[in-house]
Amino acid sequence: LKAIRGTHPLVKSSWQMLEIILTTTAFIRDILLASCIMTENTRKVLVIILSLRPLRLVNRIETIHTTIASIIHTVYSLSSLVAIIALLKAMYAVVGLQLFMGQFGYCDDEGFEPRWDRYGKFDTLLCP
């Protein structure tokens, strides 16, 4: 733990920590492949972790670093707008359900007997 947060840490940035994690994961993958004990779930987890390898380019190329930083800042700024739009959409959905409930799809067949559907609800709206 002192190697990460001591007075003279070996890992000085999160990019170095990412590099260590990716290198260790690749080493573990090679060991598991050589010993033939890798299961399907282990392989999936290692592939997910190793899919972060392109992130190393973000630290090495300054223009990509600047672009990703500005995209993250923009998405953070737009989060309140997305929340307001989601709230408005939910309000319109509730109002629409109250106004148009049962007007678009219902059964007017007099010979139709309601039955229980597979979810345990009484099916009265749709004809067979």
Side-chain angles (χ1 to χ4, degrees), residues 3-87:
I4 299 173
R5 296 182 188 205
T7 55
H8 301 290
L10 294 174
V11 181
K12 294 181 177 140
S13 70
S14 58
W15 295 108
Q16 289 176 337
M17 181 60 77
L18 176 67
E19 195 76 40
I20 290 171
I21 290 171
L22 291 175
T23 305
T24 307
T25 305
F27 183 69
I28 291 171
R29 182 197 59 190
D30 292 341
I31 290 174
L32 291 176
L33 282 173
S35 62
C36 299
I37 59 172
M38 185 181 296
T39 62
E40 184 66 25
N41 291 334
T42 307
R43 187 189 66 78
K44 287 179 184 177
V45 170
L46 292 175
V47 165
I48 289 171
I49 294 172
L50 289 175
S51 67
L52 297 174
R53 281 185 281 193
L55 284 178
R56 293 187 289 189
L57 287 176
V58 172
N59 191 32
R60 294 181 182 156
I61 302 173
E62 188 62 33
T63 56
I64 294 177
H65 184 73
T66 306
T67 304
I68 297 295
S70 65
I71 288 173
I72 290 172
H73 180 71
T74 304
V75 168
Y76 180 73
S77 300
L78 290 176
S79 63
S80 59
L81 179 65
V82 170
I84 291 172
I85 291 173
L87 182 65

